C-alpha cells in the first residue's frame, strides 16, 4: 500500500502526466483540421482513452493514448496523494496547502463543467417569443398534440432512443412507432423513418420546414425532427436588435438585443439589453450575445454550468496560497530562519 | 482519516463520470396551456398565418408577392394579393396614394385619410382597412380595391382585394371576415 501511495505521489508521475497533457492538447489542436471543436472535445478530452489518428502519406494508424479524463484523474490522484502524504500540517506550509487545494478544485471544476454544463442557442427574430433554447449539435423526435383537455402536449424522444428495428412506445399518446431507419449521429442532415401500426412509413428529416400530420386514434399528432430543446419556465421576447458597423467598413462595432424577460413563477417582467460582454444571468443560465443573422435575427448562446464558481474559487485559493507562502517565507527569512 | 480522503478523491471523479454515462436520456413529456404550441408550417408571411377559404384558387407566384388568390364572385372573379415589406413600408399615406394612382385617382392629403381608412380588430391588434375610391367619391373608372394593412414592429403585411367595383362591394364583408380570421404566427407567449 505504501509503495503504491509513494508511486502515486511521485514527482515523476506529475511530470509524466503534464507531458501527456501537453501531448493531448497538441494532437487535439491538430485534429481540428478535420473535426469541429465539439467532436475534438468528445473524442480527445471528455474520454478516458483516445485514439489518435496518425496520417502519414496515405497511411492511417490509430494510436491509443490517455484521454482528458484519464490525464485529469492521474493528475488529481497524484496531487491528492502528494498533498495528503508529503505535506505536513503546519503554519509555515499553509500557503502550499492552499495552492494544492486550489489546483484540486480547478481539476474538479473542469470535471464538473464537462459533466454538468449545457450549452445551447436561442435564435430570435424581432417580435419572437421563445421559452426554450436549442442544442444545434443534437436532435430529437417530437410528437405534439394541440389543445387536448385544455393543454398542448409535446412528447420528445431523444436521438439516443431511436434505434433501427426497435419500437418506441409512448403511452401518453397511445403511440407505438417502429423505427425502420435512422441516420448516424455524425450525418449532417438527420433523418428518421418510422411506421405506425396500419399506416404507411413516415420519413422526417432535419431540413423539413413543416410538421407532419399523423392521424392517431381520431386525433391529429404533429411530428417533427428538430434540434434538441431545453424548455424553460420563463420566456424571452426579442423587442429589437441593434447592429452597427464601423463607418465605411464591414467590421462589427456593436450588436445588442433588447429583450423582455417574463418569468411568471417569480412575477418578473422586465426589459434588458444583452450585448457583447454584457450577458443576462437568470436562474442559473447565462445568455450571451453570440451572433446574428442579416435581416435582424439575434443568436444568443445559453450556458448553464452549475459549477461555474469552482474555477474562480480555485484561482482565489491559488493566489491567496502563493501570497501566504511568499509572506511566510519572507518573514521567516527576516527572522533568520530558512 | 487520511486513507478515507485519499479514497474519496480517487473514487469521486470515477463515480461522477460513470453516473453521467449511465444517466441515459429518456422520453420526456412537456405540458403547456392550450394555444402555447403552434403548428410549424412553411412561412408565407413572417407574422401571419391564414386558412385559404374553400373556392379560392392559388395563382402562380409573382415577384414581390407572398401569394395571389383568385376569388370567384358572381360568375366573375376578384384578385387578392398578399405582400409584405419591412418596417412601416413607406407609411399609410404614401401607400394609399400609390393605390389611388393605380386606379387613376388623384392623391389625397393626410386630413382626408380618415375618410377612407377604418380599423378592424385582428388577433388582438388592429388592422387598417383602406377603401379606394373613398366612399361617396365620384370616379370615372370601374375598378375598386379594399386593402388591409397589418403592422408589426418588423413588417407591414398587405392584403389587397381588387376588381370591378360592384364585385368588390359585394364581397367586402366576406373579405373583412377573412381578415378577422388571420392568426399571428407567434402570438404572445407561443412557441414553435
Amino acid at each position: 500500500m505504501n509503495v503504491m501511495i509513494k508511486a502515486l505521489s511521485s514527482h515523476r508521475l506529475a511530470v509524466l502526466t503534464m507531458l501527456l497533457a501537453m501531448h493531448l492538447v497538441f494532437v487535439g489542436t491538430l485534429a481540428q483540421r478535420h473535426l469541429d471543436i465539439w467532436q475534438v472535445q468528445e473524442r480527445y478530452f471528455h474520454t478516458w482513452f483516445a485514439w489518435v489518428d496518425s496520417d502519414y502519406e496515405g497511411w492511417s494508424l490509430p494510436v491509443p493514448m490517455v484521454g482528458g479524463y484519464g490525464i485529469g484523474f492521474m493528475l488529481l490522484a497524484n496531487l491528492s496523494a502528494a498533498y495528503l502524504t508529503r505535506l505536513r500540517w503546519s503554519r509555515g506550509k499553509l500557503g502550499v496547502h492552499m495552492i494544492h487545494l486550489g489546483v484540486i478544485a480547478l481539476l474538479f471544476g473542469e470535471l464538473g463543467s464537462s459533466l454538468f454544463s449545457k450549452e445551447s442557442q436561442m435564435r430570435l427574430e424581432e417580435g419572437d417569443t421563445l421559452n426554450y433554447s436549442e442544442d444545434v449539435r443534437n436532435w430529437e423526435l417530437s410528437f405534439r398534440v394541440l389543445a387536448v383537455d385544455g393543454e398542448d402536449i409535446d412528447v420528445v424522444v431523444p436521438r439516443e432512443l431511436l434505434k433501427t428495428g426497435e419500437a418506441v412506445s409512448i403511452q401518453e399518446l397511445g403511440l407505438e412507432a417502429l423505427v425502420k431507419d435512422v441516420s448516424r449521429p455524425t450525418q449532417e442532415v438527420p433523418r428518421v423513418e418510422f411506421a405506425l401500426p396500419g399506416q404507411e412509413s413516415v420519413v422526417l428529416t432535419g431540413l423539413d420546414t413543416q410538421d407532419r400530420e399523423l392521424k392517431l386514434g381520431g386525433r391529429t399528432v404533429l411530428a417533427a425532427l428538430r434540434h434538441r430543446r431545453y424548455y424553460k419556465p420563463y420566456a424571452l421576447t426579442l423587442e429589437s436588435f441593434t447592429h452597427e458597423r464601423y463607418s465605411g467598413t464591414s467590421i462589427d462595432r456593436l450588436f445588442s438585443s433588447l429583450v423582455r424577460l417574463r418569468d411568471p413563477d417569480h412575477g418578473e417582467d422586465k426589459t434588458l439589453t444583452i450585448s457583447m460582454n454584457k450577458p443576462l444571468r437568470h436562474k442559473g443560465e447565462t445568455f450571451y450575445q453570440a451572433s446574428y443573422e442579416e435581416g435582424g435575427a439575434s443568436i444568443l448562446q445559453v450556458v448553464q454550468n452549475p459549477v461555474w464558481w469552482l474555477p474562480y474559487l480555485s484561482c482565489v485559493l491559488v493566489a491567496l496560497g502563493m501570497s501566504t507562502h511568499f509572506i511566510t517565507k519572507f518573514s521567516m527569512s527576516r527572522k533568520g530562519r530558512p | 482519516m487520511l486513507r478515507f480522503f485519499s479514497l474519496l478523491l480517487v473514487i469521486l471523479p470515477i463515480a461522477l463520470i460513470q453516473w453521467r454515462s449511465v444517466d441515459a436520456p429518456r422520453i420526456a413529456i412537456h405540458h403547456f396551456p392550450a394555444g402555447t404550441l403552434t403548428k410549424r408550417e412553411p412561412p408565407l408571411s413572417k407574422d401571419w398565418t391564414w386558412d385559404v377559404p374553400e373556392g379560392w384558387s392559388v395563382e402562380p407566384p409573382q415577384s414581390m408577392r407572398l401569394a395571389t388568390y383568385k376569388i370567384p364572385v358572381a360568375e366573375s372573379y376578384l384578385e387578392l394579393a398578399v405582400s409584405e415589406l419591412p418596417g412601416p413600408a413607406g407609411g399609410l399615406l404614401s401607400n394609399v396614394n400609390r393605390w389611388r394612382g393605380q386606379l387613376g385617382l388623384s392623391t389625397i392629403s393626410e386630413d382626408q385619410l380618415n375618410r377612407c381608412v377604418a380599423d378592424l380588430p385582428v388577433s388582438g391588434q388592429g388592422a387598417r382597412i383602406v377603401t379606394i375610391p373613398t366612399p361617396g367619391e365620384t370616379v370615372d373608372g370601374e375598378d375598386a380595391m379594399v386593402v388591409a394593412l397589418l403592422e408589426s414592429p418588423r413588417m407591414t403585411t398587405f392584403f389587397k382585394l381588387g376588381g370591378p367595383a360592384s364585385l368588390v362591394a359585394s364581397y367586402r364583408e366576406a373579405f373583412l371576415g377573412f381578415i378577422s380570421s388571420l392568426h399571428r404566427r407567434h402570438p404572445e407567449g407561443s412557441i414553435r
Side-chain angles (χ1 to χ4, degrees):
Chain A
M1 187 70 180
N2 284 343
V3 179
M4 257 183 75
I5 289 182
K6 201 175 172 186
L8 207 60
S9 63
S10 72
H11 287 120
R12 284 183 186 173
L13 183 63
V15 173
L16 175 72
T17 313
M18 283 175 202
L19 284 174
L20 283 173
M22 283 164 67
H23 183 240
L24 186 69
V25 170
F26 179 70
V27 295
T29 309
L30 285 187
Q32 288 179 49
R33 284 182 306 159
H34 307 297
L35 303 170
D36 68 38
I37 184 102
W38 301 105
Q39 288 170 319
V40 170
Q41 273 198 3
E42 203 172 300
R43 288 191 197 180
Y44 289 82
F45 297 100
H46 294 168
T47 180
W48 289 100
F49 294 99
W51 288 92
V52 180
D53 282 327
S54 55
D55 293 328
Y56 181 71
E57 293 185 354
W59 287 81
S60 179
L61 181 68
V63 179
M65 73 168 289
V66 187
Y69 284 159
I71 291 173
F73 175 72
M74 280 165 68
L75 202 57
L76 185 66
N78 174 255
L79 204 61
S80 311
Y83 174 64
L84 293 167
T85 57
R86 285 171 182 266
L87 286 178
R88 294 284 168 264
W89 295 95
S90 68
R91 269 182 64 190
K93 296 277 185 189
L94 181 64
V96 182
H97 281 289
M98 289 169 80
I99 294 169
H100 277 74
L101 277 176
V103 177
I104 290 172
L106 190 68
L107 287 167
F108 267 104
E110 176 49 34
L111 177 68
S113 295
S114 80
L115 294 177
F116 301 109
S117 74
K118 271 188 204 163
E119 285 199 34
S120 52
Q121 288 186 350
M122 255 189 180
R123 182 190 173 281
L124 293 146
E125 292 182 20
E126 285 184 359
D128 275 356
T129 299
L130 291 185
N131 71 344
Y132 64 85
S133 57
E134 291 177 307
D135 178 355
V136 294
R137 292 175 291 120
N138 243 315
W139 48 272
E140 63 192 12
L141 181 60
S142 154
F143 295 100
R144 284 177 290 163
V145 188
L146 308 186
V148 173
D149 301 329
E151 64 178 11
D152 295 341
I153 302 169
D154 187 3
V155 181
V156 176
V157 185
R159 171 182 60 81
E160 291 85 347
L161 297 187
L162 298 169
K163 289 176 183 149
T164 303
E166 290 189 10
V168 174
S169 177
I170 303 169
Q171 288 180 343
E172 185 101 357
L173 300 179
L175 183 149
E176 178 99 10
L178 176 67
V179 179
K180 296 176 93 176
D181 189 32
V182 62
S183 59
R184 291 190 308 277
T186 49
Q187 225 159 299
E188 203 161 315
V189 178
R191 179 185 180 279
V192 65
E193 182 179 355
F194 62 91
L196 300 176
Q199 295 189 29
E200 285 186 8
S201 287
V202 179
V203 177
L204 299 173
T205 77
L207 296 178
D208 297 342
T209 55
Q210 67 188 102
D211 292 328
R212 186 69 57 87
E213 281 191 12
L214 308 173
K215 295 291 175 198
L216 201 72
R219 62 183 173 187
T220 303
V221 176
L222 304 173
L225 198 61
R226 63 185 191 197
H227 289 311
R228 182 166 292 171
R229 283 184 182 182
Y230 299 120
Y231 283 114
K232 303 174 191 314
Y234 54 89
L236 279 189
T237 304
L238 180 65
E239 300 276 328
S240 65
F241 178 68
T242 308
H243 175 214
E244 290 175 17
R245 291 196 168 103
Y246 285 103
S247 176
T249 72
S250 58
I251 300 167
D252 294 322
R253 194 178 82 82
L254 165 86
F255 47 104
S256 67
S257 303
L258 183 69
V259 295
R260 182 175 173 195
L261 170 71
R262 273 171 286 188
D263 186 344
D265 291 350
H266 290 78
E268 280 186 88
D269 187 343
K270 54 189 179 186
T271 305
L272 315 116
T273 301
I274 302 173
S275 60
M276 291 161 77
N277 303 323
K278 196 181 163 198
L280 159 69
R281 293 181 204 279
H282 187 69
K283 281 195 171 167
E285 291 182 300
T286 311
F287 296 77
Y288 296 95
Q289 181 67 64
S291 186
Y292 63 90
E293 284 174 15
E294 296 295 342
S298 174
I299 295 171
L300 305 175
Q301 188 78 8
V302 187
V303 180
Q304 186 184 25
N305 185 3
V307 291
W308 62 269
W309 48 272
L310 254 178
Y312 292 97
L313 175 73
S314 64
C315 287
V316 169
L317 270 174
V318 170
L320 281 176
M322 288 172 87
S323 310
T324 309
H325 190 61
F326 173 76
I327 293 166
T328 311
K329 286 285 170 191
F330 185 68
S331 61
M332 279 179 172
S333 68
R334 291 282 305 260
K335 287 176 187 165
R337 282 194 284 166
Chain B
M1 191 69 174
L2 192 72
R3 284 185 180 168
F4 171 73
F5 274 116
S6 317
L7 210 61
L8 190 69
L9 281 171
V10 171
I11 288 174
L12 195 61
I14 300 176
L16 281 173
I17 292 167
Q18 288 309 308
W19 171 61
R20 288 302 284 181
S21 62
V22 296
D23 185 26
R26 59 199 83 159
I27 293 174
I29 301 167
H30 305 278
H31 297 265
F32 301 97
T36 310
L37 298 175
T38 52
K39 187 181 169 187
R40 196 171 59 148
E41 292 169 304
L44 265 179
S45 157
K46 279 188 188 296
D47 288 331
W48 298 94
T49 61
W50 55 90
D51 298 319
V52 180
E54 210 168 305
W56 290 19
S57 57
V58 181
E59 294 293 285
Q62 293 184 37
S63 66
M64 304 296 288
R65 285 189 186 177
L66 298 177
T68 308
Y69 300 104
K70 201 169 166 179
I71 305 171
V73 182
E75 302 195 359
S76 183
Y77 70 88
L78 293 171
E79 187 185 78
L80 174 62
V82 187
S83 54
E84 200 164 67
L85 291 168
L92 182 61
L93 182 63
S94 65
N95 278 304
V96 169
N97 282 328
R98 183 167 57 83
W99 296 322
R100 287 181 65 85
Q102 287 170 1
L103 294 185
L105 303 173
S106 59
T107 57
I108 59 171
S109 64
E110 189 89 39
D111 327 334
Q112 296 167 298
L113 261 185
N114 60 351
R115 281 193 265 161
C116 66
V117 179
D119 289 332
L120 181 76
V122 178
S123 200
Q125 73 170 75
R128 306 282 193 90
I129 306 297
V130 181
T131 308
I132 301 173
T134 302
E137 186 179 3
T138 312
V139 293
D140 296 333
E142 294 175 352
D143 285 343
M145 61 174 75
V146 184
V147 188
L149 278 90
L150 294 117
E151 293 158 311
S152 75
R154 59 179 173 184
M155 304 300 284
T156 304
T157 313
F158 302 93
F159 291 80
K160 189 168 83 168
L161 179 76
S166 59
L167 294 186
V168 170
S170 69
Y171 199 74
R172 182 185 169 87
E173 285 310 310
F175 172 69
L176 296 183
F178 166 72
I179 296 297
S180 303
S181 73
L182 297 176
H183 304 287
R184 279 211 66 128
R185 181 167 289 284
H186 307 304
E188 194 98 321
S190 79
I191 53 181
R192 284 164 282 165

mmCIF file of all heavy atoms in Angstrom, chain B residues 34-61:
data_model
loop_
_atom_site.group_PDB
_atom_site.id
_atom_site.type_symbol
_atom_site.label_atom_id
_atom_site.label_comp_id
_atom_site.label_asym_id
_atom_site.label_seq_id
_atom_site.Cartn_x
_atom_site.Cartn_y
_atom_site.Cartn_z
ATOM 1 N N ALA B 34 -53.205 25.335 -23.342
ATOM 2 C CA ALA B 34 -53.642 25.252 -24.746
ATOM 3 C C ALA B 34 -53.375 26.565 -25.468
ATOM 4 O O ALA B 34 -53.563 27.643 -24.919
ATOM 5 C CB ALA B 34 -55.126 24.916 -24.796
ATOM 6 N N GLY B 35 -52.928 26.468 -26.701
ATOM 7 C CA GLY B 35 -52.644 27.661 -27.504
ATOM 8 C C GLY B 35 -51.195 28.099 -27.420
ATOM 9 O O GLY B 35 -50.790 29.036 -28.094
ATOM 10 N N THR B 36 -50.396 27.411 -26.584
ATOM 11 C CA THR B 36 -48.985 27.797 -26.468
ATOM 12 C C THR B 36 -48.196 27.288 -27.667
ATOM 13 O O THR B 36 -47.395 28.022 -28.247
ATOM 14 C CB THR B 36 -48.364 27.218 -25.171
ATOM 15 O OG1 THR B 36 -49.214 27.542 -24.083
ATOM 16 C CG2 THR B 36 -46.993 27.784 -24.922
ATOM 17 N N LEU B 37 -48.426 26.035 -28.033
ATOM 18 C CA LEU B 37 -47.692 25.476 -29.173
ATOM 19 C C LEU B 37 -48.415 25.816 -30.463
ATOM 20 O O LEU B 37 -49.642 25.928 -30.484
ATOM 21 C CB LEU B 37 -47.590 23.951 -29.037
ATOM 22 C CG LEU B 37 -46.831 23.406 -27.826
ATOM 23 C CD1 LEU B 37 -46.924 21.887 -27.787
ATOM 24 C CD2 LEU B 37 -45.378 23.840 -27.856
ATOM 25 N N THR B 38 -47.645 25.989 -31.520
ATOM 26 C CA THR B 38 -48.264 26.260 -32.820
ATOM 27 C C THR B 38 -47.762 25.250 -33.835
ATOM 28 O O THR B 38 -46.712 24.655 -33.649
ATOM 29 C CB THR B 38 -47.934 27.676 -33.320
ATOM 30 O OG1 THR B 38 -46.518 27.859 -33.266
ATOM 31 C CG2 THR B 38 -48.621 28.736 -32.498
ATOM 32 N N LYS B 39 -48.539 25.100 -34.898
ATOM 33 C CA LYS B 39 -48.137 24.172 -35.950
ATOM 34 C C LYS B 39 -47.027 24.813 -36.781
ATOM 35 O O LYS B 39 -47.107 25.986 -37.124
ATOM 36 C CB LYS B 39 -49.355 23.860 -36.831
ATOM 37 C CG LYS B 39 -49.097 22.791 -37.850
ATOM 38 C CD LYS B 39 -50.360 22.582 -38.672
ATOM 39 C CE LYS B 39 -50.051 21.719 -39.874
ATOM 40 N NZ LYS B 39 -51.191 21.623 -40.775
ATOM 41 N N ARG B 40 -46.013 24.027 -37.093
ATOM 42 C CA ARG B 40 -44.903 24.552 -37.893
ATOM 43 C C ARG B 40 -45.257 24.395 -39.375
ATOM 44 O O ARG B 40 -45.519 23.295 -39.846
ATOM 45 C CB ARG B 40 -43.635 23.773 -37.555
ATOM 46 C CG ARG B 40 -42.372 24.446 -38.013
ATOM 47 C CD ARG B 40 -41.177 23.734 -37.451
ATOM 48 N NE ARG B 40 -41.151 22.342 -37.859
ATOM 49 C CZ ARG B 40 -40.037 21.644 -38.059
ATOM 50 N NH1 ARG B 40 -38.871 22.202 -37.870
ATOM 51 N NH2 ARG B 40 -40.071 20.377 -38.413
ATOM 52 N N GLU B 41 -45.285 25.509 -40.080
ATOM 53 C CA GLU B 41 -45.649 25.478 -41.497
ATOM 54 C C GLU B 41 -44.606 26.260 -42.280
ATOM 55 O O GLU B 41 -43.934 27.120 -41.724
ATOM 56 C CB GLU B 41 -47.012 26.147 -41.708
ATOM 57 C CG GLU B 41 -48.133 25.356 -41.111
ATOM 58 C CD GLU B 41 -49.422 26.159 -41.097
ATOM 59 O OE1 GLU B 41 -49.434 27.257 -40.531
ATOM 60 O OE2 GLU B 41 -50.388 25.671 -41.668
ATOM 61 N N PRO B 42 -44.483 25.983 -43.587
ATOM 62 C CA PRO B 42 -43.557 26.808 -44.360
ATOM 63 C C PRO B 42 -44.052 28.250 -44.335
ATOM 64 O O PRO B 42 -45.235 28.499 -44.605
ATOM 65 C CB PRO B 42 -43.622 26.229 -45.771
ATOM 66 C CG PRO B 42 -44.832 25.383 -45.802
ATOM 67 C CD PRO B 42 -45.162 25.001 -44.409
ATOM 68 N N PRO B 43 -43.263 29.202 -43.979
ATOM 69 C CA PRO B 43 -43.789 30.550 -43.782
ATOM 70 C C PRO B 43 -44.130 31.250 -45.095
ATOM 71 O O PRO B 43 -43.334 31.268 -46.010
ATOM 72 C CB PRO B 43 -42.636 31.260 -43.079
ATOM 73 C CG PRO B 43 -41.425 30.478 -43.431
ATOM 74 C CD PRO B 43 -41.851 29.092 -43.716
ATOM 75 N N LEU B 44 -45.342 31.762 -45.148
ATOM 76 C CA LEU B 44 -45.698 32.668 -46.249
ATOM 77 C C LEU B 44 -45.368 34.071 -45.757
ATOM 78 O O LEU B 44 -44.526 34.756 -46.279
ATOM 79 C CB LEU B 44 -47.200 32.567 -46.538
ATOM 80 C CG LEU B 44 -47.653 31.617 -47.646
ATOM 81 C CD1 LEU B 44 -49.154 31.642 -47.768
ATOM 82 C CD2 LEU B 44 -46.995 31.929 -48.960
ATOM 83 N N SER B 45 -46.055 34.438 -44.682
ATOM 84 C CA SER B 45 -45.785 35.725 -44.057
ATOM 85 C C SER B 45 -44.934 35.490 -42.812
ATOM 86 O O SER B 45 -45.019 34.437 -42.187
ATOM 87 C CB SER B 45 -47.119 36.355 -43.656
ATOM 88 O OG SER B 45 -46.935 37.286 -42.637
ATOM 89 N N LYS B 46 -44.106 36.491 -42.477
ATOM 90 C CA LYS B 46 -43.294 36.351 -41.261
ATOM 91 C C LYS B 46 -44.171 36.445 -40.013
ATOM 92 O O LYS B 46 -43.823 35.919 -38.970
ATOM 93 C CB LYS B 46 -42.235 37.458 -41.209
ATOM 94 C CG LYS B 46 -41.008 37.175 -42.061
ATOM 95 C CD LYS B 46 -39.966 38.219 -41.796
ATOM 96 C CE LYS B 46 -38.795 38.123 -42.744
ATOM 97 N NZ LYS B 46 -38.031 36.898 -42.621
ATOM 98 N N ASP B 47 -45.283 37.151 -40.139
ATOM 99 C CA ASP B 47 -46.072 37.432 -38.941
ATOM 100 C C ASP B 47 -47.432 36.750 -38.885
ATOM 101 O O ASP B 47 -48.001 36.622 -37.815
ATOM 102 C CB ASP B 47 -46.305 38.947 -38.825
ATOM 103 C CG ASP B 47 -45.037 39.675 -38.432
ATOM 104 O OD1 ASP B 47 -44.210 39.056 -37.760
ATOM 105 O OD2 ASP B 47 -44.878 40.837 -38.821
ATOM 106 N N TRP B 48 -47.982 36.364 -40.042
ATOM 107 C CA TRP B 48 -49.380 35.933 -40.058
ATOM 108 C C TRP B 48 -49.560 34.576 -40.718
ATOM 109 O O TRP B 48 -48.824 34.225 -41.628
ATOM 110 C CB TRP B 48 -50.243 36.969 -40.804
ATOM 111 C CG TRP B 48 -50.204 38.289 -40.128
ATOM 112 C CD1 TRP B 48 -49.367 39.325 -40.409
ATOM 113 C CD2 TRP B 48 -50.982 38.705 -39.009
ATOM 114 N NE1 TRP B 48 -49.579 40.361 -39.544
ATOM 115 C CE2 TRP B 48 -50.574 40.015 -38.666
ATOM 116 C CE3 TRP B 48 -51.998 38.106 -38.262
ATOM 117 C CZ2 TRP B 48 -51.138 40.720 -37.620
ATOM 118 C CZ3 TRP B 48 -52.568 38.814 -37.219
ATOM 119 C CH2 TRP B 48 -52.134 40.106 -36.911
ATOM 120 N N THR B 49 -50.576 33.859 -40.257
ATOM 121 C CA THR B 49 -50.975 32.627 -40.947
ATOM 122 C C THR B 49 -52.476 32.736 -41.225
ATOM 123 O O THR B 49 -53.188 33.477 -40.544
ATOM 124 C CB THR B 49 -50.734 31.375 -40.087
ATOM 125 O OG1 THR B 49 -51.511 31.477 -38.899
ATOM 126 C CG2 THR B 49 -49.271 31.238 -39.721
ATOM 127 N N TRP B 50 -52.932 31.995 -42.219
ATOM 128 C CA TRP B 50 -54.352 32.018 -42.547
ATOM 129 C C TRP B 50 -54.738 30.715 -43.222
ATOM 130 O O TRP B 50 -53.890 30.011 -43.785
ATOM 131 C CB TRP B 50 -54.687 33.216 -43.457
ATOM 132 C CG TRP B 50 -53.868 33.287 -44.716
ATOM 133 C CD1 TRP B 50 -54.155 32.721 -45.923
ATOM 134 C CD2 TRP B 50 -52.626 33.983 -44.883
ATOM 135 N NE1 TRP B 50 -53.169 33.007 -46.834
ATOM 136 C CE2 TRP B 50 -52.224 33.790 -46.236
ATOM 137 C CE3 TRP B 50 -51.808 34.750 -44.067
ATOM 138 C CZ2 TRP B 50 -51.051 34.331 -46.757
ATOM 139 C CZ3 TRP B 50 -50.638 35.277 -44.578
ATOM 140 C CH2 TRP B 50 -50.267 35.079 -45.905
ATOM 141 N N ASP B 51 -56.012 30.402 -43.140
ATOM 142 C CA ASP B 51 -56.552 29.243 -43.849
ATOM 143 C C ASP B 51 -57.201 29.755 -45.129
ATOM 144 O O ASP B 51 -57.983 30.716 -45.086
ATOM 145 C CB ASP B 51 -57.592 28.534 -42.984
ATOM 146 C CG ASP B 51 -56.967 28.004 -41.696
ATOM 147 O OD1 ASP B 51 -55.840 27.477 -41.780
ATOM 148 O OD2 ASP B 51 -57.580 28.155 -40.617
ATOM 149 N N VAL B 52 -56.879 29.136 -46.236
ATOM 150 C CA VAL B 52 -57.450 29.587 -47.513
ATOM 151 C C VAL B 52 -58.891 29.091 -47.601
ATOM 152 O O VAL B 52 -59.144 27.884 -47.515
ATOM 153 C CB VAL B 52 -56.616 29.027 -48.698
ATOM 154 C CG1 VAL B 52 -57.200 29.486 -50.019
ATOM 155 C CG2 VAL B 52 -55.163 29.464 -48.556
ATOM 156 N N PRO B 53 -59.864 30.013 -47.722
ATOM 157 C CA PRO B 53 -61.272 29.585 -47.776
ATOM 158 C C PRO B 53 -61.560 28.696 -48.989
ATOM 159 O O PRO B 53 -60.868 28.784 -50.011
ATOM 160 C CB PRO B 53 -62.038 30.914 -47.883
ATOM 161 C CG PRO B 53 -61.098 31.944 -47.371
ATOM 162 C CD PRO B 53 -59.738 31.473 -47.746
ATOM 163 N N GLU B 54 -62.559 27.877 -48.814
ATOM 164 C CA GLU B 54 -62.945 26.976 -49.901
ATOM 165 C C GLU B 54 -63.353 27.781 -51.140
ATOM 166 O O GLU B 54 -64.024 28.805 -51.022
ATOM 167 C CB GLU B 54 -64.118 26.115 -49.438
ATOM 168 C CG GLU B 54 -64.142 24.754 -50.088
ATOM 169 C CD GLU B 54 -65.117 23.827 -49.409
ATOM 170 O OE1 GLU B 54 -64.993 23.653 -48.179
ATOM 171 O OE2 GLU B 54 -65.989 23.321 -50.102
ATOM 172 N N GLY B 55 -62.966 27.351 -52.300
ATOM 173 C CA GLY B 55 -63.344 28.026 -53.540
ATOM 174 C C GLY B 55 -62.261 28.954 -54.057
ATOM 175 O O GLY B 55 -62.224 29.248 -55.252
ATOM 176 N N TRP B 56 -61.395 29.415 -53.202
ATOM 177 C CA TRP B 56 -60.312 30.287 -53.659
ATOM 178 C C TRP B 56 -59.264 29.420 -54.364
ATOM 179 O O TRP B 56 -59.004 28.301 -53.952
ATOM 180 C CB TRP B 56 -59.608 30.982 -52.484
ATOM 181 C CG TRP B 56 -60.414 32.022 -51.780
ATOM 182 C CD1 TRP B 56 -61.763 32.181 -51.816
ATOM 183 C CD2 TRP B 56 -59.903 33.043 -50.923
ATOM 184 N NE1 TRP B 56 -62.140 33.224 -51.016
ATOM 185 C CE2 TRP B 56 -61.007 33.779 -50.458
ATOM 186 C CE3 TRP B 56 -58.645 33.409 -50.490
ATOM 187 C CZ2 TRP B 56 -60.871 34.852 -49.602
ATOM 188 C CZ3 TRP B 56 -58.505 34.471 -49.636
ATOM 189 C CH2 TRP B 56 -59.611 35.200 -49.200
ATOM 190 N N SER B 57 -58.673 29.977 -55.406
ATOM 191 C CA SER B 57 -57.590 29.230 -56.035
ATOM 192 C C SER B 57 -56.289 30.022 -55.908
ATOM 193 O O SER B 57 -56.295 31.259 -55.907
ATOM 194 C CB SER B 57 -57.910 28.935 -57.498
ATOM 195 O OG SER B 57 -58.159 30.131 -58.181
ATOM 196 N N VAL B 58 -55.228 29.274 -55.783
ATOM 197 C CA VAL B 58 -53.913 29.907 -55.615
ATOM 198 C C VAL B 58 -53.312 30.139 -57.003
ATOM 199 O O VAL B 58 -53.217 29.224 -57.815
ATOM 200 C CB VAL B 58 -52.981 29.005 -54.781
ATOM 201 C CG1 VAL B 58 -51.615 29.659 -54.587
ATOM 202 C CG2 VAL B 58 -53.610 28.680 -53.438
ATOM 203 N N GLU B 59 -52.932 31.351 -57.255
ATOM 204 C CA GLU B 59 -52.354 31.720 -58.552
ATOM 205 C C GLU B 59 -50.836 31.483 -58.539
ATOM 206 O O GLU B 59 -50.220 31.422 -57.470
ATOM 207 C CB GLU B 59 -52.641 33.196 -58.832
ATOM 208 C CG GLU B 59 -54.119 33.503 -59.031
ATOM 209 C CD GLU B 59 -54.654 32.857 -60.300
ATOM 210 O OE1 GLU B 59 -54.360 33.369 -61.399
ATOM 211 O OE2 GLU B 59 -55.348 31.823 -60.186
ATOM 212 N N PRO B 60 -50.218 31.391 -59.711
ATOM 213 C CA PRO B 60 -48.765 31.193 -59.745
ATOM 214 C C PRO B 60 -48.032 32.325 -59.019
ATOM 215 O O PRO B 60 -48.523 33.467 -58.975
ATOM 216 C CB PRO B 60 -48.434 31.211 -61.247
ATOM 217 C CG PRO B 60 -49.712 30.896 -61.922
ATOM 218 C CD PRO B 60 -50.798 31.430 -61.047
ATOM 219 N N PRO B 61 -46.861 32.008 -58.446
ATOM 220 C CA PRO B 61 -46.114 33.023 -57.696
ATOM 221 C C PRO B 61 -45.738 34.233 -58.555
ATOM 222 O O PRO B 61 -45.464 34.088 -59.744
ATOM 223 C CB PRO B 61 -44.842 32.282 -57.263
ATOM 224 C CG PRO B 61 -45.123 30.847 -57.441
ATOM 225 C CD PRO B 61 -46.174 30.728 -58.484
#
